[in-house]
Amino acid sequence: MSNQNLVALGTITRREVMRILRIWTQTLIPPAITMTLYFLIFGGLIGSRVGKMGGLDYMEFIVPGLVMMSVIQNSYGNISSSFFGAKFGRHVEELLVSPMPHWVILAGYVAGAVLRGLMVGAIVLCIAMLFTRVHVPHPLVTISSVLLGATIFSLAGFVNAVYAKKFDDIAIVPTFILTPLTYLGGVFYSISLLPGWAQAATHVNPIFYMVNAFRYGLLGSSDVPLWVAYALMLGFVAVLSALGLWLLKRGVGLRS
């Protein structure tokens, strides 16, 4: 990587991080409040009546899912709103005509979104520690799975922002696709509770694999083989990265 590309990558990433920190009351605090309510209602009130789930206390069981859910939602939301805002303000055209490679533009925006996801995830994990103990038996699995999950949905948010024509288009995917997939991805329950047809349908949900890989890292328990989860996540990263670079190269939705 040349010094020029490194400076460009750092500049885009720093701008994204400063944007997150500048409006921290909108980017970091609301997810923390929402997840605290999840822990209080689902973990505290309902969890005490549910008992064990997958051999674990229910409060302990939902921690990985809630952390991963916050990471996914915030990574996706950050890049989709930020890149579309740059597109709406015609800032992207300046990037496209600059000598920096397309991968630098994509990596800079993705890095900013991943960092926001990790910041929110860390806040949610700290909140979880107020309600239950978190042991982290497999730290490498924990870190790698959350990084891959954040990267996947940052790339997906980038694709959404490229194709979006108005601000309302950004909300369609999170509302009608991302939220249902998250809630049906094993965040609040073990797949073993479901009938056969529902288990088969859950195995089509990519978020299910991300949640279980992260749960294995935090708790040592998973409903799917770890290698399957990693193969799927790495596959999504490769496909979405290639798609994002192709969209930038072709200028799809970016050049008027």
Side-chain angles (χ1 to χ4, degrees):
M1 183 188 296
S2 66
N3 289 335
Q4 292 88 342
N5 290 340
L6 189 61
V7 170
L9 177 60
T11 301
I12 296 175
T13 304
R14 185 169 61 252
R15 184 187 65 189
E16 288 298 294
V17 173
M18 293 306 297
R19 170 183 170 272
I20 295 167
L21 297 178
R22 188 172 61 251
I23 53 173
W24 61 274
T25 54
Q26 301 174 40
T27 56
L28 301 179
I29 299 301
I33 295 173
T34 301
M35 292 304 156
T36 301
L37 293 174
Y38 275 120
F39 284 121
L40 286 172
I41 297 171
F42 286 94
L45 299 178
I46 299 176
S48 60
R49 291 162 175 78
V50 172
K52 297 286 185 179
M53 179 71 68
L56 302 165
D57 289 337
Y58 189 70
M59 176 71 83
E60 192 177 11
F61 179 85
I62 65 173
V63 168
L66 290 177
V67 173
M68 183 60 83
M69 182 168 73
S70 65
V71 169
I72 287 172
Q73 291 176 343
N74 284 275
S75 297
Y76 189 99
N78 188 82
I79 195 168
S80 59
S81 61
S82 177
F83 191 79
F84 182 78
K87 201 174 80 167
F88 185 79
R90 312 300 288 267
H91 306 149
V92 174
E93 296 175 4
E94 299 174 3
L95 297 177
L96 293 176
V97 299
S98 70
M100 75 176 74
H102 293 126
W103 69 265
V104 171
I105 300 173
L106 180 62
Y109 275 98
V110 169
V114 169
L115 285 171
R116 174 178 168 183
L118 294 180
M119 283 190 282
V120 173
I123 292 172
V124 174
L125 189 59
C126 290
I127 293 171
M129 292 178 181
L130 300 176
F131 296 92
T132 184
R133 296 180 64 184
V134 180
H135 303 286
V136 194
H138 306 286
L140 290 179
V141 175
T142 302
I143 295 170
S144 58
S145 59
V146 76
L147 279 173
L148 286 171
T151 303
I152 289 168
F153 283 93
S154 296
L155 291 165
F158 177 83
V159 174
N160 183 193
V162 168
Y163 281 109
K165 290 182 170 49
K166 54 184 183 298
F167 280 101
D168 290 343
D169 294 339
I170 295 175
I172 291 175
V173 173
T175 302
F176 295 102
I177 298 177
L178 190 56
T179 299
L181 287 178
T182 302
Y183 280 91
L184 297 174
V187 172
F188 298 104
Y189 57 85
S190 172
I191 191 176
S192 60
L193 299 177
L194 303 177
W197 66 268
Q199 291 190 27
T202 303
H203 278 93
V204 181
N205 184 351
I207 295 180
F208 168 70
Y209 296 90
M210 300 173 198
V211 168
N212 273 276
F214 190 57
R215 181 172 287 133
Y216 180 83
L218 277 184
L219 306 176
S221 174
S222 175
D223 287 331
V224 297
L226 198 59
W227 71 269
V228 175
Y230 272 94
L232 185 133
M233 289 190 290
L234 290 170
F236 267 104
V237 169
V239 171
L240 289 171
S241 297
L243 177 58
L245 291 173
W246 180 81
L247 291 172
L248 282 174
K249 182 179 180 180
R250 296 292 300 272
V252 176
L254 303 176
R255 294 190 177 100
S256 56

